[in-house]
């Protein structure tokens, strides 16, 4: 059975390679589009923030952050004080930031895998730079829109984290970990941040090339690759659906984090479940926000009125695809357990 699955995988990869060769012009165009997106949006908005966040975690500056927020986070979320910066900067920095910082904490012995799993339920966010600049200002023409989206996503993440932290054991005292000198911390922060964004950019380029070839329905673009799915649309998404996809993150982001999740011994099925839970809650909260504050539609300008042209079945189709991916992952993991 294992040889058969390996043979099928090899066949699919050969077929994918042949597809890229046959449709080389489309693949090249898509790859260039993805590269341009990384150059103009992803790297400028995320790299400086990721370096600074990693620098704070690795240097003695993290002690000040722990002193300010550590006890509060321990009381609310039952996580060690040393994990507070990872949560804060995971929410502020963007998708890979929280995962990269959390992996660093677990490697240094500051948190255990159960705590890391819960931290990933809250430290997963599009971040300030991407949400305010790329989504709010560029896509919707208003930083207030970006602020509303980020607020809804953050409230959703905090709510899920609070609920999932009930009756969890109180963490022991923070581990006495060595903080690096500023110069050493800066070098390590820059190296780890560049590696994380290089992996992220590679996935985006690959997905962009593949999307240019297969040309899936526009309605599922945000499910596949969140940046192009949200920011490069002729007709912007309705805000509730945008909140859903930004909170979910897109399968391209999930693939980037899959290796990090395995290193932290977090099962992808658990991560996927809480991403869907966060995304669904974000969708509901944005709906409620627009109901309670209808004047927001005027603030967002005429763009929002056009967004209802988005196919009503888009979110449903995306959920069906997510379910299919989840079933596939569960099947793969179950087979691995049987083989072990």
């Amino acid at each position: 059975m294992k040889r058969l699955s390996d043979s099928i995988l090899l066949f699919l990869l050969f077929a994918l390679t042949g597809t890229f060769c046959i449709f080389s012009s489309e693949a090249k165009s898509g790859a260039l589009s993805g590269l341009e997106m990384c150059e103009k949006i992803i790297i400028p908005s995320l790299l400086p923030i990721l370096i600074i966040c990693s620098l704070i975690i690795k240097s003695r500056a993290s002690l000040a952050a722990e002193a300010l927020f550590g006890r509060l986070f321990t009381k609310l979320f039952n996580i060690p004080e040393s994990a507070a910066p990872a949560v804060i900067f995971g929410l502020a920095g963007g998708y890979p930031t929280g995962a990269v910082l959390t992996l660093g904490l677990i490697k240094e012995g500051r948190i255990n895998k159960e705590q890391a799993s819960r931290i990933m339920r809250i430290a997963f966010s599009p971040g300030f730079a991407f949400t305010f600049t790329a989504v709010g200002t560029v896509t919707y023409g208003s930083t207030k829109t970006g602020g509303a989206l980020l607020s809804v996503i953050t409230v959703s993440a905090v709510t899920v984290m609070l609920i999932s932290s009930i009756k969890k054991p109180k963490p022991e005292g923070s581990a006495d970990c060595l903080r690096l000198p500023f110069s050493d911390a800066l070098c390590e922060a820059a190296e780890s941040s560049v590696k994380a964004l290089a992996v992220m950019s590679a996935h985006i380029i690959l997905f962009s090339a593949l999307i240019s070839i297969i040309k899936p329905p526009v309605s599922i673009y945000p499910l596949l690759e969140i940046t192009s799915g949200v920011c490069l649309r002729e007709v912007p998404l309705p805000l509730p659906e945008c909140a859903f996809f930004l909170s979910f993150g897109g399968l391209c982001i999930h693939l980037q984090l899959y290796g990090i999740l395995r290193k932290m011994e977090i099962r992808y099925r658990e991560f996927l479940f809480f991403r869907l839970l966060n995304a669904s809650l974000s969708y509901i909260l944005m709906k409620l926000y627009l109901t309670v504050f209808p004047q927001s539609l005027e603030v967002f300008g005429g763009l929002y009125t056009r967004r209802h042209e988005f196919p009503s079945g888009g979110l449903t189709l995306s959920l069906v695809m997510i379910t299919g991916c989840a079933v596939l992952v569960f099947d793969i993991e179950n087979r691995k357990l049987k083989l072990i």
Side-chain angles (χ1 to χ4, degrees):
M1 181 63 70
K2 187 175 180 180
R3 287 186 177 180
L4 177 60
S5 61
D6 291 342
S7 299
I8 294 174
L9 177 60
L10 178 63
F11 172 78
L12 291 175
L13 291 176
F14 271 132
L16 184 60
T17 303
T19 302
F20 277 122
C21 292
I22 295 171
F23 299 96
S24 59
S25 60
E26 290 87 349
K28 180 181 178 181
S29 175
L32 287 173
S33 175
L35 182 61
E36 183 179 9
M37 189 191 317
C38 293
E39 178 187 359
K40 295 183 178 180
I41 298 178
I42 301 300
I43 295 176
S45 62
L46 292 183
L47 183 57
I49 292 178
L50 188 55
I51 291 176
I52 293 173
C53 294
S54 299
L55 177 59
I56 292 174
I57 292 288
K58 296 176 183 295
S59 68
R60 294 187 62 84
S62 62
L63 297 176
E66 292 173 25
L68 288 172
F69 304 103
R71 291 184 180 180
L72 175 63
F73 279 49
T74 298
K75 186 175 182 180
L76 291 177
F77 305 131
N78 288 337
I79 57 176
E81 294 181 7
S82 59
V87 173
I88 294 170
F89 297 122
L91 287 170
Y95 293 115
T97 308
V100 172
L101 299 179
T102 304
L103 178 61
L105 291 176
I106 202 170
K107 282 184 175 180
E108 295 173 7
R110 302 196 206 181
I111 58 175
N112 57 41
K113 64 179 183 181
E114 190 278 330
Q115 292 163 346
S117 177
R118 285 191 290 116
I119 289 172
M120 285 305 299
R121 298 168 196 173
I122 186 173
F124 183 94
S125 168
F128 280 99
F130 178 71
T131 309
F132 276 91
T133 304
V135 179
T137 304
V138 177
T139 304
Y140 291 92
S142 169
T143 54
K144 292 183 180 180
T145 307
L149 286 167
L150 187 60
S151 298
V152 163
I153 293 168
T154 302
V155 170
S156 171
V158 171
T159 301
V160 171
M161 182 64 168
L162 284 171
I163 294 173
S164 62
S165 298
I166 295 175
K167 295 184 178 180
K168 293 296 180 181
K170 294 292 181 182
E172 300 176 357
S174 298
D176 186 15
C177 300
L178 177 65
R179 269 69 174 189
L180 298 174
F182 182 83
S183 57
D184 294 341
L186 178 60
C187 292
E188 288 200 11
E191 181 180 354
S192 61
S193 300
V194 169
K195 286 181 178 179
L197 280 185
V199 172
M200 184 177 185
S201 298
H203 280 84
I204 291 175
I205 293 170
L206 176 62
F207 266 68
S208 298
L210 189 60
I211 288 173
S212 294
I213 294 174
I214 62 177
K215 294 180 175 58
V218 176
S219 57
I220 65 170
Y221 267 42
L223 172 65
L224 300 176
E225 206 290 297
I226 189 66
T227 307
S228 60
V230 171
C231 299
L232 302 182
R233 300 174 58 88
E234 293 184 4
V235 179
L237 282 166
L239 290 181
E241 295 191 17
C242 184
F244 177 93
F245 287 116
L246 287 175
S247 184
F248 181 73
L251 297 180
C252 181
I253 299 290
H254 289 208
L255 284 178
Q256 296 164 33
L257 299 183
Y258 188 77
I260 297 178
L261 294 175
R262 290 191 61 183
K263 290 178 182 178
M264 293 190 288
E265 299 183 23
I266 299 175
R267 290 188 175 184
Y268 177 70
R269 67 177 72 183
E270 178 183 345
F271 175 78
L272 178 62
F273 170 78
F274 281 100
R275 292 274 40 87
L276 286 171
L277 182 60
N278 273 281
S280 300
L281 184 56
S282 295
Y283 179 89
I284 294 170
L285 290 177
M286 182 53 76
K287 281 277 192 181
L288 292 175
Y289 177 83
L290 295 176
T291 301
V292 176
F293 301 103
Q295 67 272 17
S296 299
L297 297 180
E298 297 178 4
V299 173
F300 301 147
L303 285 173
Y304 187 75
T305 57
R306 295 188 297 112
R307 282 165 209 150
H308 294 289
E309 299 172 23
F310 183 75
S312 59
L315 185 57
T316 303
L317 179 58
S318 299
L319 291 174
V320 171
M321 288 193 64
I322 293 171
T323 304
C325 293
V327 171
L328 178 60
V329 170
F330 297 164
D331 182 58
I332 292 173
E333 291 187 351
N334 287 333
R335 290 183 182 181
K336 286 182 179 178
L337 291 174
K338 291 179 181 179
L339 289 173
I340 294 174

